[in-house]
């Protein structure tokens, strides 16, 4: 799936470059400080890496451009190899998590205590929708399998593996098979992702729901990475439905609003048939209308199930996520090890240069818009 390059595309590229460069500089300085070296050496190392990444990206582009015909002729074979590689990564990820279960100690957590089945104890109310939904899922699992923390951990593993597979499908549609395999490999093998699947937390449930919504949004798109992308017409019902899906995830957690950016971005896809500005504007409005309708429906459903008023439910959601005195209740810090962060942002450095390899189209607006959000 591709978007036509506009002035906004170049602005997004600039923001992407600033974000990636800043992250690499911070990582370089952090590594040098840990090694007892001067900060400026980390800055020089980051700059040198970006230069090397640019050279590699240029060489890869020249190499791939010369083999486009071969890739088109062998597309079926490459697809089979890609699927086999994806299955192998899933197996490796499952084995890593299986080894983690064998080594970990199943200690009780707040989510286990809230979800366990006990006489006279129900599932406690929670303002955060994803937390409440997750505790409900755990409660049902404990009803079926008993109060075992290991059962909850297996739920985490299944959710993460399923979400990662959906991520693979989405990335294959949006950016091609190679990008999809990189994303799946990182999800399966990164120590942080492995550890996340072995502790009770609503993050993996929300990860699965978000990827399921993304997969439904992109299910009708053409093959990722092809020269001629075929995408569906601007169907009003589809536009409305994607907005509703984004609203559902947003109600569970405010970060779900990033899906609405993806839904709006799909309106501006390159299409075989020309679509005038009025149709695109109408489709964008329908996406927003679907988001508002879905969000209102979630509030109404929550009010009916909990016995609270609609205004009370809406007020609780707003109070949970509103800024506190012009200070957002979010802390910016590295997630995972320095090595993982270096791999992640090091891969992103290639996107700084790949933007310029196609003068007519670009494939990063939706991802960068979500990252900025």
């Amino acid at each position: 799936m591709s978007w036509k390059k506009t002035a906004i595309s170049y602005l997004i590229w600039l923001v992407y470059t600033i974000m990636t460069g800043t992250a690499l500089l911070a990582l370089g300085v952090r590594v040098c400080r840990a090694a007892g070296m001067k900060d400026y050496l980390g800055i020089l190392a980051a700059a040198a890496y970006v230069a090397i990444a640019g050279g590699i990206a240029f060489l890869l582009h020249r190499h791939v451009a010369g083999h486009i015909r071969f890739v088109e002729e062998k597309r079926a074979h490459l697809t089979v190899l890609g699927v086999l590689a994806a299955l192998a990564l899933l197996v490796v990820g499952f084995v890593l998590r299986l080894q983690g279960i064998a080594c970990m100690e199943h200690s009780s957590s707040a989510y286990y205590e809230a979800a366990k089945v006990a006489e006279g104890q129900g599932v406690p109310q929670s303002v955060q929708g994803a937390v409440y939904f997750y505790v409900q899922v755990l409660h049902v699992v404990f009803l079926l399998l008993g109060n075992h923390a290991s059962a909850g951990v297996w739920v985490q593993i299944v959710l993460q593996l399923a979400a990662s597979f959906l991520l693979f499908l989405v990335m294959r549609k949006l950016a091609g098979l190679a990008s999809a395999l990189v994303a799946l490999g990182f999800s399966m093998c990164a120590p942080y992702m492995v550890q996340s699947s072995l502790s009770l937390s609503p993050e993996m449930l929300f990860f699965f729901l978000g990827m399921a919504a993304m997969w439904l949004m992109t299910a009708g798109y053409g093959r990722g990475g092809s020269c001629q992308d075929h995408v569906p017409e601007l169907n009003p019902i589809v536009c409305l439905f994607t907005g509703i899906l984004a609203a559902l995830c947003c109600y569970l957690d405010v970060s779900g609003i990033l899906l609405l950016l993806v839904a709006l971005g799909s309106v501006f896809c390159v299409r075989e048939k020309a679509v005038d500005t009025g149709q695109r504007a109408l489709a964008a409005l329908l996406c927003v209308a679907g988001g508002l309708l879905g969000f209102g429906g979630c509030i109404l459903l929550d009010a009916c199930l909990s016995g609270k008023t609609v205004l009370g439910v809406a007020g609780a959601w707003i109070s949970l996520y509103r800024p506190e005195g012009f200070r957002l209740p979010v802390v910016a810090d590295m997630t995972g090890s320095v090595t993982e962060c270096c791999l992640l942002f090091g891969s992103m450095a290639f996107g700084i240069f790949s933007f310029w390899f196609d003068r007519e189209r670009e494939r990063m607006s939706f991802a960068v818009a979500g990252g900025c959000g």
Side-chain angles (χ1 to χ4, degrees):
M1 187 177 74
S2 302
W3 281 262
K4 290 181 178 178
K5 285 183 179 176
T6 63
I8 296 178
S9 300
Y10 294 97
L11 176 62
I12 288 177
W13 171 84
L14 179 61
V15 173
Y16 178 90
T17 301
I18 293 173
M19 290 173 58
T20 305
T22 302
L24 288 172
L25 288 175
L27 285 170
V29 171
R30 179 163 182 168
V31 170
C32 286
R33 286 180 179 175
M37 302 167 65
K38 298 293 185 181
D39 291 354
Y40 72 87
L41 293 175
I43 297 174
L44 292 176
Y49 174 80
V50 172
I52 293 172
I56 294 174
F58 177 74
L59 292 175
L60 287 175
H61 174 67
R62 289 192 61 183
H63 179 73
V64 172
H67 294 78
I68 290 179
R69 189 171 183 179
F70 172 79
V71 172
E72 291 294 333
E73 292 176 352
K74 303 295 183 180
R75 181 175 294 277
H77 298 84
L78 293 175
T79 300
V80 172
L81 290 176
V83 171
L84 292 176
L87 292 175
L89 287 172
L90 288 170
V91 171
V92 170
F94 178 76
V95 171
L96 290 175
R97 285 150 181 80
L98 196 62
Q99 291 177 343
I101 288 181
C103 299
M104 69 176 291
E105 296 181 0
H106 299 301
S107 58
S108 297
S109 67
Y111 297 109
Y112 172 79
E113 295 297 331
K116 70 179 182 180
V117 180
E119 187 176 353
Q121 175 182 327
V123 177
Q125 293 286 337
S126 175
V127 177
Q128 221 273 359
V131 171
Y132 183 70
F133 192 16
Y134 176 70
V135 173
Q136 288 279 13
V137 170
L138 280 186
H139 186 71
V140 172
V141 171
F142 292 157
L143 278 174
L144 296 174
L145 303 177
N147 292 325
H148 303 292
S150 57
V153 173
W154 277 107
V155 170
Q156 294 287 102
I157 292 175
V158 171
L159 287 172
Q160 192 183 76
L161 292 176
S164 298
F165 181 70
L166 290 175
L167 172 64
F168 168 78
L169 296 179
V170 169
M171 289 299 296
R172 184 174 179 275
K173 288 284 186 181
L174 297 176
L177 182 60
S179 299
L181 289 174
V182 171
L184 181 62
F186 193 86
S187 296
M188 290 294 95
C189 302
Y192 173 77
M193 294 298 290
V194 174
Q195 188 59 38
S196 297
S197 67
L198 302 178
S199 58
L200 301 185
S201 167
E203 291 178 359
M204 291 304 105
L205 176 62
F206 189 74
F207 180 33
F208 171 76
L209 293 175
M211 286 300 102
M214 276 284 292
W215 177 74
L216 290 172
M217 288 179 185
T218 60
Y221 295 158
R223 295 176 298 178
S226 60
C227 296
Q228 297 293 331
D229 292 328
H230 303 285
V231 291
E233 295 297 322
L234 292 178
N235 190 313
I237 297 177
V238 173
C239 294
L240 193 68
F241 180 68
T242 54
I244 292 174
L245 279 176
L248 173 62
C249 292
C250 183
Y251 185 73
L252 294 178
D253 188 272
V254 70
S255 60
I257 199 173
L258 304 181
L259 291 174
L260 186 59
L261 296 176
V262 177
L264 289 172
S266 66
V267 171
F268 301 97
C269 293
V270 174
R271 288 173 166 77
E272 287 184 304
K273 297 180 180 178
V275 181
D276 59 36
T277 305
Q279 286 180 292
R280 293 182 188 276
L282 177 60
L285 287 175
L286 286 173
C287 281
V288 175
L292 295 175
L293 182 64
F295 193 81
C298 289
I299 290 178
L300 183 61
L301 181 63
D302 193 347
C304 293
L305 294 176
S306 63
K308 299 178 181 178
T309 63
V310 172
L311 291 177
V313 173
W317 191 92
I318 292 173
S319 63
L320 180 63
Y321 295 114
R322 70 183 177 188
E324 299 176 0
F326 300 101
R327 178 177 59 84
L328 287 173
V330 175
V331 177
D333 198 2
M334 289 203 315
T335 299
S337 66
V338 175
T339 302
E340 291 172 274
C341 292
C342 288
L343 286 173
L344 180 60
F345 290 105
S347 300
M348 290 176 64
F350 289 89
I352 297 174
F353 304 96
S354 63
F355 174 85
W356 300 100
F357 293 154
D358 193 331
R359 296 181 180 180
E360 298 297 328
R361 300 180 296 175
E362 51 99 353
R363 303 172 180 273
M364 59 191 290
S365 290
F366 78 96
V368 179
C372 292

